[in-house]
Amino acid sequence: DPNLPEVIPAEESSTRGCRCASYRTKCTVGWHSIAMNGGSARIQNTRLERCGQRGIEGKYCLHFHKLGSCPTCLFKGNSIEGSHQRGIIVHGTHLSAVEDNTLWNVRGAGIYIEDGNEMHNDIKYNVVSCPFRFNDPIHHGCTVPGTSNRLSDTSDNHSGIFSRAVTNNLIGNRVANAFNGMFFNSGGVGRGSVAGKVCESDARLARVEGNVWHGNGRFGTYTLGSNYAKATDQSILTDGENINKDLCKGFDSLGLGRGVSASMVDNTDYGNAFVGHYDAGDIQHRGHNAYSNFNNLYWKETKNFANGCSSHLLGASYADGNLALPDQASFIIENTTFGDGAVLEANHHCNVGVTGVLCFPQYILHEVHWKNSSPSRWMWFQDFNTQGHTANQNHGGVFTLSPPNAQTVMDGGQLADSFFPPGYVSLVSDKFSYLLGLPGSPCIVSTAYGNRYDGGILCRVPLRSLKVYSQNLVSFSAPYLIVEVWYGRAQSGSPDSSQSIPFHQIGGDFESDKQGYSLPVVPGAEHHYKLRLSSGDGTIPATWVVEFSDEVVGNRWEVEYINLSLNNYMCGNNGLVNSHHDRRFMWSGDQFMSNEAWGNTGACAADKPGDLPKVDCSLVDEGRLMSAECPELCSNSCGETSYCDCGSATCKIKSGFTEAEVDLCAAARCSDHGSCAAKYLGSNLPTTSSACICDEGWSGSRCQFNPCQTLGIVCQNNGRCAATSDTSA
């Protein structure tokens, strides 16, 4: 009936029956259940088949509907099979639990969190599996047409777990063979009755921990849109609405970011096409394992952490796949291992559409273990142009060792499993040829090492980014930026090297405000850089903003310096600027260069604003972030085996422990060469078999055997010892 009333304008669906729509001519009707508008509901250990009503709004298999705060609401241990229009729905409900459920051949999203205001629901230890290939000519995977959300259900972006709201716990879930494993579709303002009332992009990330996304046709881990969590007033008391929208803005009145740092912990992605984010900041991937994905990481834009210290990747492991790294931050990769087939891509998607800024991030490698033995390319810079102009310098980006790691190399030491050849500590594109003319030849073209470094320039000294953000230039008439360098000496006489740096702009003329110039520089108070324009008298307008290196470098390790002048104007303190210079109103992730920034911030502002305060990273565990918890909300300590839940303000058992405080991983007794497989199974009993996942070369129930090592076998001619049993090789 085309005359049935719509529930949500333009979605063309009705709760009162099958409404004809531009994308629907019939509905598929099974049984449905719903707990709605107050009270509580529990459904446990039940098998459900042929449920859901495709095309009729609100008719799903299991459905919490606008129950508000409902800590007693529970869907647990259920099995849903052969059903339509999603499996389990959490709508307008907080503090519920959806756990230990299995969903098989459910058409549409498996688990669906609906409007964007839902908070602190526990989605844990569920399994969502699709038995059909996405390109199956009959079934088309587990997609289904004709629902009110083509994004979550159809071939557009079908998802195992779909949510507009990120402040819900996802713990120990498994999704296989969907189009997307998990999909946080942030970027909107709420849906339905909360439309216009929710800042979806600014919601705090809850616990996203111990999930496995594998064999999905598009993304495993996936956040779409802008994801920059902030300290807002969204809470269960406001029904998940944001009352003061000013708190959703990127900057406060002083120009400081409002970000809140969080972490995704111990998640695993394998066999997917992509893994990661579009635009996202203040998210640390800790203990992330990604293997055999086409892109082990896919990330377009990011920012530095609000705490001033954290790395973006920590204690992670990647192999057999590309890592598409983002623009616009000091992207720190720490204590992370890269195996065979791992490839690093600089500036992913930069200057495609309006993505990116100046395409010149710093990728800082700290205690990284590069175990890729392939002679093929280990990394690559961008070399394409999708714009209708040539003002496209997306080949930027600096790869460099952290200051302490670089100092070890420069002092004549060696790092085990270094990404760089012996003696080298940094890498940039071959476009920055002035580096090859520096006295003492600290830099070389990398072709001596084949194509591993994409023909870039390797240097024995650190490199940092120097960015000049411009205004009111257009691609066809913008001048060059002339850079002159006095290397290791005062600015007198002729420079030791120089280069003309082309103009860069994101998007077409007048399409965005993101434009300017960028280049790598050698940090050090002994080096002098002079910048001027190629047109007129060379003067760089006083309103333009200059940025040198990054404050996180000074917070984590040491403040860096450089001598810098713009034509004849001396920046900083008589030309000396440091990496902690003012950065107010410059970049919050979702806001770029507020009006207050121009001429008032940066390394060369005329009124010389004070430096940013240095952060003591030891106070925040050197930036190592845990899964979300709120210990200040619990009156008593939760101890080592529990955490204080931010929604319920109660202690909840950590993954890998039981209510009897049994440590399931300790019970597994894995050796130092094995990793516990029992932590995220949701069990109350110790795992009795296959509890340990062994490192390469190790075997046994506890990964205690390595016959190659025990027998002292050393292979010649690039051979590798292979064990034939636990005790022989």
Short mmCIF file of all heavy atoms in Angstrom, two decimals, residues 225-254:
data_model
loop_
_atom_site.label_atom_id
_atom_site.label_comp_id
_atom_site.label_asym_id
_atom_site.label_seq_id
_atom_site.Cartn_x
_atom_site.Cartn_y
_atom_site.Cartn_z
N GLY A 225 33.14 8.03 7.75
CA GLY A 225 32.85 9.39 8.15
C GLY A 225 33.92 9.92 9.08
O GLY A 225 35.03 9.41 9.18
N SER A 226 33.57 10.94 9.79
CA SER A 226 34.50 11.62 10.68
C SER A 226 34.35 11.06 12.08
O SER A 226 33.27 11.10 12.66
CB SER A 226 34.19 13.13 10.67
OG SER A 226 35.02 13.82 11.55
N ASN A 227 35.43 10.53 12.65
CA ASN A 227 35.40 9.96 13.99
C ASN A 227 36.47 10.63 14.84
O ASN A 227 37.63 10.22 14.85
CB ASN A 227 35.65 8.45 13.94
CG ASN A 227 34.47 7.68 13.37
OD1 ASN A 227 33.64 7.19 14.12
ND2 ASN A 227 34.41 7.59 12.05
N TYR A 228 36.07 11.69 15.54
CA TYR A 228 36.97 12.43 16.41
C TYR A 228 36.29 12.64 17.75
O TYR A 228 35.56 13.61 17.95
CB TYR A 228 37.35 13.77 15.77
CG TYR A 228 38.19 13.60 14.51
CD1 TYR A 228 37.61 13.72 13.24
CD2 TYR A 228 39.54 13.31 14.59
CE1 TYR A 228 38.38 13.56 12.10
CE2 TYR A 228 40.32 13.14 13.45
CZ TYR A 228 39.73 13.26 12.20
OH TYR A 228 40.49 13.09 11.07
N ALA A 229 36.48 11.69 18.66
CA ALA A 229 35.80 11.70 19.95
C ALA A 229 36.15 12.94 20.76
O ALA A 229 37.29 13.41 20.75
CB ALA A 229 36.16 10.45 20.73
N LYS A 230 35.14 13.46 21.48
CA LYS A 230 35.32 14.66 22.29
C LYS A 230 34.63 14.50 23.63
O LYS A 230 33.77 13.63 23.81
CB LYS A 230 34.77 15.89 21.56
CG LYS A 230 35.44 16.14 20.21
CD LYS A 230 34.84 17.33 19.51
CE LYS A 230 35.50 17.54 18.15
NZ LYS A 230 35.19 16.43 17.22
N ALA A 231 35.00 15.36 24.56
CA ALA A 231 34.37 15.38 25.88
C ALA A 231 33.09 16.21 25.77
O ALA A 231 33.09 17.42 25.95
CB ALA A 231 35.31 15.97 26.91
N THR A 232 31.98 15.55 25.46
CA THR A 232 30.69 16.22 25.31
C THR A 232 29.79 15.89 26.50
O THR A 232 30.19 15.20 27.44
CB THR A 232 30.00 15.80 24.01
OG1 THR A 232 29.54 14.45 24.13
CG2 THR A 232 30.95 15.91 22.82
N ASP A 233 28.55 16.38 26.45
CA ASP A 233 27.59 16.11 27.53
C ASP A 233 26.66 14.95 27.20
O ASP A 233 25.65 14.76 27.88
CB ASP A 233 26.77 17.37 27.85
CG ASP A 233 25.99 17.90 26.65
OD1 ASP A 233 26.05 17.28 25.56
OD2 ASP A 233 25.33 18.95 26.80
N GLN A 234 26.96 14.18 26.18
CA GLN A 234 26.14 13.01 25.85
C GLN A 234 26.20 12.01 26.99
O GLN A 234 27.28 11.66 27.48
CB GLN A 234 26.63 12.36 24.56
CG GLN A 234 25.76 11.19 24.10
CD GLN A 234 26.35 10.44 22.92
OE1 GLN A 234 27.57 10.32 22.81
NE2 GLN A 234 25.51 9.95 22.04
N SER A 235 25.06 11.53 27.45
CA SER A 235 25.02 10.56 28.54
C SER A 235 23.70 9.81 28.52
O SER A 235 22.77 10.18 27.78
CB SER A 235 25.19 11.25 29.90
OG SER A 235 24.02 11.97 30.24
N ILE A 236 23.60 8.78 29.32
CA ILE A 236 22.34 8.05 29.44
C ILE A 236 21.27 8.96 30.01
O ILE A 236 20.08 8.87 29.64
CB ILE A 236 22.54 6.80 30.31
CG1 ILE A 236 23.46 5.80 29.58
CG2 ILE A 236 21.21 6.14 30.64
CD1 ILE A 236 23.82 4.59 30.42
N LEU A 237 21.65 9.90 30.89
CA LEU A 237 20.68 10.82 31.48
C LEU A 237 20.04 11.74 30.45
O LEU A 237 18.92 12.22 30.65
CB LEU A 237 21.35 11.65 32.58
CG LEU A 237 21.85 10.86 33.81
CD1 LEU A 237 22.54 11.80 34.78
CD2 LEU A 237 20.69 10.14 34.48
N THR A 238 20.75 11.98 29.34
CA THR A 238 20.18 12.79 28.26
C THR A 238 19.61 11.91 27.15
O THR A 238 19.33 12.40 26.06
CB THR A 238 21.24 13.73 27.66
OG1 THR A 238 22.26 12.94 27.02
CG2 THR A 238 21.88 14.59 28.73
N ASP A 239 19.45 10.61 27.43
CA ASP A 239 19.00 9.63 26.44
C ASP A 239 19.93 9.60 25.23
O ASP A 239 19.49 9.40 24.10
CB ASP A 239 17.56 9.90 26.00
CG ASP A 239 16.95 8.71 25.27
OD1 ASP A 239 17.37 7.56 25.53
OD2 ASP A 239 16.05 8.92 24.41
N GLY A 240 21.21 9.83 25.49
CA GLY A 240 22.19 9.78 24.42
C GLY A 240 22.19 10.98 23.51
O GLY A 240 22.85 10.97 22.47
N GLU A 241 21.49 12.04 23.89
CA GLU A 241 21.46 13.25 23.08
C GLU A 241 22.56 14.21 23.54
O GLU A 241 22.99 14.18 24.69
CB GLU A 241 20.09 13.93 23.18
CG GLU A 241 18.95 13.08 22.65
CD GLU A 241 17.59 13.75 22.82
OE1 GLU A 241 17.57 14.96 23.16
OE2 GLU A 241 16.56 13.08 22.62
N ASN A 242 23.00 15.04 22.61
CA ASN A 242 23.96 16.11 22.93
C ASN A 242 23.17 17.39 23.14
O ASN A 242 22.54 17.91 22.21
CB ASN A 242 24.97 16.29 21.80
CG ASN A 242 25.89 15.09 21.66
OD1 ASN A 242 25.64 14.18 20.87
ND2 ASN A 242 26.95 15.07 22.44
N ILE A 243 23.21 17.92 24.35
CA ILE A 243 22.44 19.11 24.67
C ILE A 243 23.18 20.38 24.25
O ILE A 243 22.64 21.24 23.58
CB ILE A 243 22.12 19.16 26.19
CG1 ILE A 243 21.45 17.84 26.62
CG2 ILE A 243 21.22 20.35 26.50
CD1 ILE A 243 20.19 17.49 25.86
N ASN A 244 24.45 20.47 24.65
CA ASN A 244 25.26 21.63 24.30
C ASN A 244 26.10 21.30 23.08
O ASN A 244 27.15 20.67 23.18
CB ASN A 244 26.15 22.01 25.48
CG ASN A 244 26.99 23.27 25.22
OD1 ASN A 244 26.96 23.83 24.12
ND2 ASN A 244 27.72 23.70 26.22
N LYS A 245 25.64 21.72 21.91
CA LYS A 245 26.33 21.37 20.66
C LYS A 245 27.69 22.05 20.54
O LYS A 245 28.52 21.62 19.73
CB LYS A 245 25.45 21.73 19.46
CG LYS A 245 24.12 21.00 19.39
CD LYS A 245 24.30 19.51 19.26
CE LYS A 245 23.02 18.82 18.81
NZ LYS A 245 21.89 19.07 19.73
N ASP A 246 27.93 23.12 21.31
CA ASP A 246 29.25 23.75 21.25
C ASP A 246 30.35 22.79 21.68
O ASP A 246 31.50 22.92 21.25
CB ASP A 246 29.28 25.00 22.14
CG ASP A 246 28.52 26.17 21.53
OD1 ASP A 246 28.29 26.15 20.30
OD2 ASP A 246 28.17 27.10 22.27
N LEU A 247 29.99 21.82 22.52
CA LEU A 247 30.97 20.84 22.97
C LEU A 247 31.35 19.86 21.88
O LEU A 247 32.30 19.08 22.04
CB LEU A 247 30.44 20.09 24.20
CG LEU A 247 30.16 20.94 25.43
CD1 LEU A 247 29.58 20.09 26.54
CD2 LEU A 247 31.42 21.66 25.90
N CYS A 248 30.62 19.88 20.77
CA CYS A 248 30.94 19.02 19.63
C CYS A 248 31.91 19.68 18.66
O CYS A 248 32.35 19.05 17.70
CB CYS A 248 29.66 18.63 18.88
SG CYS A 248 28.44 17.77 19.90
N LYS A 249 32.22 20.95 18.89
CA LYS A 249 33.14 21.65 18.00
C LYS A 249 34.56 21.17 18.23
O LYS A 249 34.92 20.72 19.32
CB LYS A 249 33.03 23.15 18.24
CG LYS A 249 31.68 23.75 17.86
CD LYS A 249 31.63 25.24 18.15
CE LYS A 249 30.28 25.83 17.77
NZ LYS A 249 30.20 27.28 18.09
N GLY A 250 35.39 21.32 17.22
CA GLY A 250 36.75 20.82 17.30
C GLY A 250 37.62 21.58 18.29
O GLY A 250 38.50 21.00 18.91
N PHE A 251 37.40 22.90 18.44
CA PHE A 251 38.23 23.72 19.31
C PHE A 251 37.40 24.33 20.42
O PHE A 251 36.22 24.65 20.24
CB PHE A 251 38.89 24.86 18.52
CG PHE A 251 39.77 24.40 17.39
CD1 PHE A 251 39.39 24.63 16.07
CD2 PHE A 251 40.97 23.76 17.63
CE1 PHE A 251 40.20 24.21 15.02
CE2 PHE A 251 41.78 23.34 16.59
CZ PHE A 251 41.40 23.57 15.28
N ASP A 252 38.05 24.54 21.57
CA ASP A 252 37.40 25.34 22.60
C ASP A 252 37.70 26.81 22.35
O ASP A 252 38.31 27.17 21.33
CB ASP A 252 37.85 24.89 24.00
CG ASP A 252 39.35 25.09 24.24
OD1 ASP A 252 40.00 25.86 23.50
OD2 ASP A 252 39.88 24.48 25.19
N SER A 253 37.29 27.68 23.25
CA SER A 253 37.44 29.13 23.02
C SER A 253 38.89 29.57 22.97
O SER A 253 39.21 30.63 22.43
CB SER A 253 36.70 29.90 24.11
OG SER A 253 37.23 29.57 25.40
N LEU A 254 39.80 28.75 23.52
CA LEU A 254 41.23 29.08 23.50
C LEU A 254 41.94 28.51 22.28
O LEU A 254 43.14 28.72 22.10
CB LEU A 254 41.90 28.56 24.77
CG LEU A 254 41.38 29.14 26.09
CD1 LEU A 254 42.09 28.48 27.27
CD2 LEU A 254 41.57 30.65 26.13
#
